[in-house]
Amino acid sequence: MFDTFPLWPARASTTAGSVDALFIFLVTLSAMVSAAVFTMIVVFAVRYRRRRGVAAEQIEGSTALEVTWSVIPLFIFVVIFVWGAVIYFKERTPPRGATEVYVVAKQWMWKLQHEEGQREINELHVPVGRDVKMILTSQDVIHSFYVPAFRIKQDVLPGRYTTAWFHPTKAGIYHLFCAEYCGTQHSGMIGQVVVLEPAQYEAWLSGGGASGSMASNGQNMFQQLGCSTCHRFDTQGRGPNLVGLFGKPVQLEDGRVVTADENYIRESILTPGAKIVSGFKPIMPVFQGLVSEEQLNALVAYVKSLSQSPTGAAGGPTVVPSGAPPQEPKVQ
Amino acid sequence: MATAVIAPERENYLNQEYGIKSWLLTVDHKRIALLYLVSITFFFFIGGFFALLIRLELLTPAGDLVQADTYNKLFTMHGQVMVFFFLIPSIPAVLGNFLVPLMIGARDLAFPRINLLSWYLYIIAGILMLHCMLTGGVDTGWTFYTPFSTAFSNTKVIEAGLAIFISGFSSILTGLNFVVTIHRMRAPGMTWNRLPLFIWAHYATSIIQLLGTPVIAVTLVLVVLERALHLGIFDPTRGGDPLLFQHLFWFYSHPAVYIMILPSMGVVTEIVPCFSRKRIFGYNFVAMSSIAIAVFGFLVWAHHMFVAGISLYSALIFSALSYLVAVPSAIKVFNWTATMYKGSIRFSTPMLYAFGFIGLFTMGGLTGLFLAALGIDVHVTDTYFVIAHFHYIMVGGAVMGYLGGMHFWWPKISGRMYPESLGRFSALIVFLGFNLTFFPQFILGYLGMPRRYWQYPPEFQVLNVLSTAGSTILAVGYLLPMVYFLWSMRYGKLAPANPWGASGLEWTTTSPPPTFNFEHTPVVDWEAYDYENIPAPEEARVAG
Amino acid sequence: MPDSPVAVEHHEPMLQHHFADMEQQRQASSLGMWLFLATEVMFFGGMFCAYLIYRYWYFADFATASKSLDITLGTVNTAVLICSSLTVVLAVRAAQLGKRQSQVVYLALTLVLGLAFLGIKGIEWTSKFKEHHVPGASFHFEGSVPGHPDQPVDQQHAQIFFSLYFAMTGMHALHMVIGVGIFSYLLYCAWKGRYTPEYHTPLENSGLYWHFVDIIWIYLFPLLYLIDRKK
């Protein structure tokens, strides 16, 4: 029981350092304020304890003092707010070019899939020194992906994607916890993040187990499900051309403009009637119930790959079918 | 050492009528307060029992005391019972009901029958909750997050939801009664700024009860309907949004925590001046800070949702607002401390509880600053850090305030003194037990131990063992007052009208008060906390 | 406040013992009712909030679903409720003038109108049930999105519309039923001559409640029935 008794979590990501810095500042501040208040109370309790013949002095108040001890804390709070907000802003803005990992949570396990195709259960292998962005969804209830050593946590919701990212700085094995109560085995829904030195990571990657990159799996699905019938790579399709679509603004026929992000792609597949692209008819079949979360992830990965240059970020080569060269997507 | 009374007892609210019917059909606010006292104490021990089982399970990393499903029910029901059946009613329904009319010089609350109705609603809700617990329980967490609660849990969600729904009406009616009473039934001369700050605190609390509780009521209705009829309002597989539930839930449940803490602050604001023998420092600021907490408290709910999937910009706004709401609480702490300056301090039990409150509430409040900081919250939300934070406020704060208030007003309520040395001893035990139980949890949280975990990795064990050890000490600290309060009702020293030399109209009437509170209507022409003109208890005794 | 408990009893039979005088009692009751109505605003507000959010997200589907509601019956019901509020006001006025018989007539009319409202609502709900628009296992909504005859309405979104429709109108109807109960009791008391120019507080405060329930309907009606109804 006493062999490991840590009092501080491991620090294994770039975020961890910033979070710890603010935390230590707050601990110090709190200790100082508590000490000040406690000391004053003790000193007053002793110095002004009841003594025969010594009456209390009736003091109504002091507006100056009240204003001072309202404004000074408020100022300190503003500092803390800004500091925390800056860290949070960075945490919620995944850097471009990050390696992507798709995560599907379900009661009570984590299913992860690398862009290159490797699948893992309750374990995530990543290399030191590379940005990793996770695209998370749940098959059932709300879960939460929590790696204390990285100081990151993100709720994982059914019906949509959420994202989180980290940049590992130290090789090691770190806890992965589910941090949103999700039923019987909530406390059993744990795993580990294995951070490897880059060379070891490459070795692990090529160690087999992959059956094609996510994007190429997605491309196969795209053909199998008949998507390519309408979503051609020219302007003749009954559906919008998806090349170059990801990340761009899309004009809908009710006038709204939305960004084609992961959630947009997902919604377009599951409930196509929700957002009709301007100039197109609402004829796309509904795929809800016909594709699993993993298949959805593969399709999303494929659509994303249609917006990457052939020598672009890791994640599988862009596979553009032969025929007409990719054209500008039909957005207005 | 007093023995049984020989002289005939003066008529008061306790002996005016005997028999169970006179209690169950009473409309006297003081008797209703005692009905509540018995009921909430009962539920406190049920919730406490669940807590002990939780802490016992957590002695070892493995789940070896109860099954996982049972553990999930234990923490759910611990939370529901403690929040809805103990903390929310506690001070308002017991001390508030007893004291509000007395403090303002009224003969009863505005609506005595509605007061009794609110107790019956609480009892019906409590029975339904007990039935739910005994026939399978509920395992959704007290927060009922969807879609788990509406579409996945196999437990008695509907029954628990209905029980809490009914208890909400009890809370609303109490709040309604207080607001009308404070507005309309103050004695002549009792202007708003002569009101005891306990009244201001309860006024602010009542506003929150009135405006916040209906929202959770309707949210629970929607959850019950969704679960029973398989609707899709909160279920993404049916077109709904689980975050909508979270927004609606926290819109009440955040202000609810101010329902739980404001009355305790009111209690402390009565105790500190009395045992410092001087008026409160900064009356207006303390009064306004209660109102400010009530108002700002409605604007910060999504700080429970920083990692839930809300937008970055919403998160920024709610974080900023959460810092605003911390300012009025800080003001109170400074004002209490300043009240002690150049006072004449006594260390009776109520004052010890007040010290404990100020210390622990300060620590709990400071850790709230951690949680409001977005970058920190991402790491510590849903961990034991949050659990430690809210227990510091609700147990270290609210419950200590409640116990301090019970000791302070016990002579008035029962006509008896409790044994002072035992009182001080229990206060110390509670303070030490509390800190040992909950301080390690801050560390556990930062280390990364998530909440609601039945089993955990072995490196967390030492801190968990410390926490469990503390909880047993804390339990003793809570049992002692139960025992000696009961003892004092028969064997305690008879209490004079004003054993503490305290200010406030309630101390001008007998202990216990007569049913109609005052022989003659008080006419107030003095300021609140008029300690200049009130003799200290030892001087009063000397004077005769 | 009286000095002794007994002093005032024989003056004012309706004065409760803890109040100093009738005026304090009347003001307290009135404030109590206003505060209660504030809680009701928050209660319905939660549902309105959910409704407004989904309506924003699923506007087209909600518009079509809304069109399937019977606007004639809805309008008639609105008129019925407004008239019933008028009869309530006239009943209070009659009490102020000491006219017992008028009170009884107007209260009875209020009850009739209230029951008419509930009856019409029953008819509406029955037709919804027959059309399979009641959320649940047998829910099915035939219809297409406005302006796009070839695009069917999303069943899930339509079901959410009807879930909220039934929740909101159901909660409103429950409040109407309670109102009918209260007014039945008031009718009995009025018939017994309990309300006089000096004392008719229960009438006034119950009237406030009834007006509030009416106002809720006045918001519900356009929100639910009148989405996108240009012909």
Side-chain angles (χ1 to χ4, degrees):
Chain A
M1 161 163 131
F2 288 101
D3 35 1
T4 46
F5 182 17
L7 288 172
W8 200 269
R11 212 177 273 168
S13 78
T14 49
T15 314
S18 335
V19 170
D20 282 358
L22 176 54
F23 186 75
I24 292 170
F25 170 75
L26 285 172
V27 169
T28 314
L29 178 72
S30 305
M32 280 166 39
V33 170
S34 307
V37 170
F38 298 169
T39 310
M40 275 220 252
I41 290 183
V42 168
V43 163
F44 291 170
V46 169
R47 167 93 177 73
Y48 300 111
R49 68 193 181 283
R50 167 167 78 102
R51 267 162 304 164
R52 214 168 310 226
V54 181
E57 193 176 305
Q58 303 299 325
I59 304 172
E60 211 167 292
S62 156
T63 309
L65 211 49
E66 300 275 5
V67 169
T68 310
W69 65 43
S70 306
V71 166
I72 293 183
L74 187 60
F75 176 71
I76 297 176
F77 295 166
V78 169
V79 168
I80 304 172
F81 161 69
V82 171
W83 191 344
V86 166
I87 298 176
Y88 185 75
F89 190 83
K90 291 206 191 98
E91 280 171 336
R92 297 239 357 214
T93 316
R96 249 179 278 201
T99 315
E100 293 184 347
V101 175
Y102 286 79
V103 181
V104 176
K106 76 184 266 292
Q107 287 172 322
W108 287 280
M109 65 163 80
W110 298 99
K111 298 188 282 186
L112 304 97
Q113 187 167 27
H114 295 253
E115 278 183 307
E116 299 87 347
Q118 280 74 13
R119 291 174 198 273
E120 306 196 64
I121 302 259
N122 291 335
E123 225 171 63
L124 174 63
H125 286 77
V126 287
V128 173
R130 206 188 300 172
D131 296 327
V132 177
K133 172 179 156 181
M134 291 181 299
I135 299 159
L136 310 123
T137 189
S138 164
Q139 263 176 248
D140 39 41
V141 297
I142 302 178
H143 299 274
S144 190
F145 191 94
Y146 178 37
V147 183
F150 297 162
R151 312 287 188 272
I152 58 152
K153 184 186 290 108
Q154 176 60 53
D155 279 9
V156 181
L157 302 174
R160 61 178 257 216
Y161 290 121
T162 51
T163 57
W165 77 277
F166 57 86
H167 182 108
T169 52
K170 199 165 120 192
I173 303 183
Y174 307 106
H175 284 300
L176 160 63
F177 292 127
C178 174
E180 185 58 58
Y181 174 68
C182 53
T184 309
Q185 282 299 333
H186 166 60
S187 48
M189 194 165 156
I190 62 181
Q192 44 196 35
V193 178
V194 180
V195 181
L196 299 169
E197 297 297 343
Q200 290 173 304
Y201 179 69
E202 294 304 323
W204 175 82
L205 258 188
S206 54
S211 50
S213 72
M214 284 188 74
S216 65
N217 285 340
Q219 184 184 20
N220 292 338
M221 289 234 65
F222 195 77
Q223 316 278 16
Q224 276 169 30
L225 290 171
C227 318
S228 45
T229 322
C230 297
H231 290 286
R232 294 156 53 111
F233 295 106
D234 55 27
T235 53
Q236 310 302 317
R238 278 167 285 177
N241 185 348
L242 303 180
V243 173
L245 168 70
F246 188 79
K248 298 280 191 309
V250 176
Q251 174 140 53
L252 304 178
E253 61 111 46
D254 60 12
R256 285 183 291 165
V257 176
V258 295
T259 308
D261 59 10
E262 287 95 346
N263 275 314
Y264 172 78
I265 309 287
R266 181 201 170 90
E267 189 187 33
S268 302
I269 298 171
L270 294 179
T271 48
K275 294 186 171 69
I276 311 293
V277 178
S278 174
F280 289 91
K281 290 208 175 63
I283 54 169
M284 178 169 165
V286 169
F287 284 90
Q288 183 145 50
L290 298 174
V291 287
S292 71
E293 292 292 345
E294 283 90 341
Q295 290 169 326
L296 258 181
N297 291 345
L299 285 165
V300 169
Y302 171 61
V303 172
K304 282 164 90 159
S305 75
L306 294 176
S307 296
Q308 286 162 355
S309 61
T311 52
T318 304
V319 182
V320 179
S322 58
Q327 306 203 346
E328 278 307 304
K330 191 174 173 186
V331 294
Q332 277 145 31
Chain B
M1 165 79 178
T3 52
V5 175
I6 316 277
E9 240 180 307
R10 186 177 28 220
E11 186 175 284
N12 59 57
Y13 80 99
L14 285 170
N15 61 21
Q16 196 208 16
E17 249 191 292
Y18 289 109
I20 191 131
K21 222 170 108 178
S22 76
W23 281 91
L24 293 181
L25 293 178
T26 183
V27 288
D28 178 2
H29 66 99
K30 300 179 289 300
R31 286 192 170 205
I32 294 175
L34 290 187
L35 290 174
Y36 266 111
L37 175 61
V38 170
S39 336
I40 66 160
T41 308
F42 172 74
F43 280 105
F44 177 71
F45 282 105
I46 296 204
F49 173 66
F50 291 152
L52 276 177
L53 288 176
I54 292 171
R55 290 291 352 142
L56 278 175
E57 172 64 81
L58 292 177
L59 270 175
T60 60
D64 45 13
L65 182 68
V66 296
Q67 296 184 331
D69 275 328
T70 310
Y71 184 82
N72 296 337
K73 291 177 190 175
L74 284 176
F75 68 69
T76 301
M77 298 185 308
H78 166 74
Q80 288 170 337
V81 165
M82 286 307 207
V83 168
F84 295 108
F85 292 91
F86 173 66
L87 279 167
I88 298 261
S90 64
I91 297 180
V94 177
L95 294 173
N97 263 330
F98 196 95
L99 294 167
V100 167
L102 284 166
M103 283 183 171
I104 65 174
R107 302 176 70 194
D108 208 309
L109 291 174
F111 307 117
R113 287 171 296 186
I114 289 186
N115 200 11
L116 184 65
L117 173 65
S118 87
W119 182 73
Y120 274 105
L121 287 173
Y122 172 87
I123 291 297
I124 292 170
I127 291 175
L128 191 56
M129 194 71 208
L130 277 172
H131 179 262
C132 170
M133 294 192 290
L134 291 169
T135 58
V138 57
D139 73 347
T140 57
W142 84 278
T143 47
F144 280 111
Y145 272 20
T146 63
F148 181 76
S149 62
T150 48
F152 287 84
S153 170
N154 296 324
T155 59
K156 317 200 79 179
V157 177
I158 293 182
E159 204 171 329
L162 285 175
I164 294 169
F165 176 81
I166 298 173
S167 79
F169 280 101
S170 171
S171 183
I172 290 173
L173 292 178
T174 300
L176 193 148
N177 232 332
F178 284 177
V179 172
V180 177
T181 305
I182 295 170
H183 271 283
R184 293 269 169 249
M185 298 183 66
R186 286 167 284 127
M190 177 63 83
T191 57
W192 281 91
N193 38 14
R194 287 181 180 160
L195 283 172
L197 289 162
F198 179 93
I199 300 289
W200 277 98
H202 278 75
Y203 184 79
T205 306
S206 301
I207 298 293
I208 306 177
Q209 283 174 297
L210 281 171
L211 298 180
T213 319
V215 178
I216 196 172
V218 79
T219 309
L220 287 170
V221 165
L222 290 175
V223 165
V224 164
L225 286 176
E226 173 140 332
R227 190 172 162 90
L229 305 173
H230 306 290
L231 307 177
I233 303 174
F234 303 125
D235 186 347
T237 61
R238 292 185 231 253
D241 185 354
L243 252 60
L244 177 62
F245 170 82
Q246 292 183 30
H247 280 291
L248 287 172
F249 176 83
W250 287 113
F251 186 83
Y252 163 74
S253 300
H254 186 80
V257 316
Y258 298 112
I259 297 177
M260 296 187 256
I261 196 63
L262 273 170
S264 285
M265 292 169 152
V267 168
V268 170
T269 316
E270 295 303 314
I271 292 178
V272 171
C274 176
F275 293 96
S276 307
R277 306 309 305 163
K278 54 186 287 252
R279 55 158 39 93
I280 186 81
F281 185 95
Y283 177 98
N284 286 332
F285 280 89
V286 177
M288 286 302 117
S289 68
S290 292
I291 304 295
I293 290 174
V295 171
F296 288 135
F298 273 102
L299 304 178
V300 300
W301 75 90
H303 67 216
H304 299 268
M305 298 168 65
F306 286 151
V307 298
I310 63 176
S311 78
L312 174 59
Y313 301 103
S314 308
L316 288 171
I317 293 170
F318 280 101
S319 170
L321 287 168
S322 303
Y323 282 104
L324 269 189
V325 80
V327 174
S329 304
I331 290 178
K332 284 189 197 272
V333 172
F334 299 141
N335 278 287
W336 291 320
T337 309
T339 303
M340 291 174 63
Y341 176 72
K342 294 205 171 159
S344 173
I345 318 262
R346 297 100 205 286
F347 299 96
S348 312
T349 306
M351 190 61 160
L352 294 182
Y353 276 108
F355 286 149
F357 176 98
I358 297 173
L360 299 175
F361 172 75
T362 301
M363 288 174 67
L366 286 166
T367 54
L369 299 176
F370 288 65
L371 291 163
L374 290 162
I376 302 276
D377 189 72
V378 169
H379 176 56
V380 297
T381 192
D382 277 318
T383 68
Y384 265 82
F385 193 92
V386 179
I387 296 188
H389 161 75
F390 66 68
H391 281 92
Y392 261 79
I393 312 253
M394 297 211 269
V395 180
V399 177
M400 288 203 90
Y402 172 71
L403 287 174
M406 284 304 296
H407 285 78
F408 187 55
W409 282 291
W410 185 252
K412 181 59 55 186
I413 293 172
S414 67
R416 303 280 180 155
M417 300 301 292
Y418 60 85
E420 180 64 26
S421 2
L422 260 184
R424 294 184 191 173
F425 177 69
S426 309
L428 190 60
I429 299 282
V430 166
F431 185 79
L432 293 173
F434 172 84
N435 277 303
L436 185 58
T437 309
F438 290 106
F439 194 83
Q441 293 185 7
F442 282 124
I443 306 175
L444 274 173
Y446 202 75
L447 278 172
M449 180 170 169
R451 49 186 297 195
R452 298 170 166 171
Y453 260 40
W454 167 64
Q455 61 195 16
Y456 55 82
E459 68 262 32
F460 296 147
Q461 184 174 23
V462 173
L463 291 164
N464 270 294
V465 169
L466 286 174
S467 180
T468 302
S471 68
T472 53
I473 300 173
L474 189 58
V476 170
Y478 288 143
L479 281 168
L480 280 173
M482 250 217 61
V483 169
Y484 63 66
F485 276 144
L486 281 171
W487 174 92
S488 76
M489 290 180 76
R490 183 100 155 85
Y491 300 109
K493 203 154 58 127
L494 284 181
N498 194 353
W500 312 117
S503 72
L505 284 175
E506 74 271 28
W507 301 106
T508 64
T509 188
T510 56
S511 299
T515 302
F516 291 110
N517 294 344
F518 299 97
E519 293 292 319
H520 304 281
T521 314
V523 176
V524 177
D525 60 5
W526 57 89
E527 300 306 308
Y529 308 106
D530 192 30
Y531 283 100
E532 217 161 9
N533 299 320
I534 301 176
E538 58 281 359
E539 288 148 33
R541 278 198 285 277
V542 165
Chain C
M1 190 200 309
D3 276 358
S4 96
V6 188
V8 200
E9 297 279 316
H10 53 277
H11 290 311
E12 296 280 3
M14 303 308 293
L15 178 66
Q16 292 172 42
H17 66 274
H18 54 285
F19 286 114
D21 50 48
M22 291 301 293
E23 184 55 19
Q24 190 186 49
Q25 179 174 311
R26 197 192 62 72
Q27 284 184 354
S29 311
S30 181
L31 179 58
M33 179 51 78
W34 281 106
L35 287 173
F36 175 69
L37 295 180
T39 71
E40 294 275 59
V41 168
M42 297 306 290
F43 185 75
F44 278 96
M47 281 191 291
F48 274 86
C49 186
Y51 175 80
L52 287 170
I53 290 172
Y54 281 120
R55 177 175 154 153
Y56 174 72
W57 283 341
Y58 303 151
F59 185 80
D61 300 314
F62 267 41
T64 308
S66 162
K67 286 212 186 67
S68 78
L69 297 176
D70 190 329
I71 195 175
T72 313
L73 288 181
T75 311
V76 167
N77 254 353
T78 309
V80 163
L81 266 193
I82 294 177
C83 289
S84 73
S85 272
L86 176 62
T87 52
V88 166
V89 168
L90 291 171
V92 173
R93 182 76 183 129
Q96 287 170 342
L97 296 176
K99 298 182 177 168
R100 191 185 76 99
Q101 187 156 48
S102 301
Q103 285 176 51
V104 171
V105 166
Y106 287 126
L107 287 174
L109 273 176
T110 307
L111 276 175
V112 164
L113 290 167
L115 288 168
F117 177 90
L118 288 169
I120 295 175
K121 190 116 288 301
I123 295 173
E124 281 189 270
W125 281 5
T126 313
S127 81
K128 285 285 130 222
F129 178 73
K130 291 208 187 96
E131 292 169 30
H132 293 282
H133 290 168
V134 175
S138 59
F139 178 85
H140 185 73
F141 187 81
E142 287 291 335
S144 59
V145 163
H148 293 96
D150 45 349
Q151 184 187 349
V153 157
D154 183 306
Q155 292 298 309
Q156 289 186 344
H157 299 173
Q159 182 155 169
I160 291 186
F161 174 85
F162 283 104
S163 301
L164 290 168
Y165 168 80
F166 280 104
M168 288 158 82
T169 57
M171 202 43 85
H172 177 262
L174 175 63
H175 282 75
M176 285 292 301
V177 167
I178 294 171
V180 164
I182 292 173
F183 273 77
S184 305
Y185 176 68
L186 290 179
L187 178 61
Y188 169 74
C189 291
W191 180 67
K192 284 258 173 191
R194 292 227 191 116
Y195 303 127
T196 63
E198 292 78 37
Y199 175 78
H200 50 273
T201 317
L203 261 185
E204 272 180 344
N205 289 336
S206 305
L208 281 176
Y209 173 80
W210 190 271
H211 296 316
F212 173 78
V213 178
D214 187 9
I215 290 178
I216 291 286
W217 175 260
I218 290 174
Y219 276 88
L220 278 182
F221 176 61
L223 280 176
L224 291 172
Y225 288 72
L226 301 181
I227 310 179
D228 202 34
R229 282 251 186 193
K230 41 188 190 292
K231 271 285 181 275

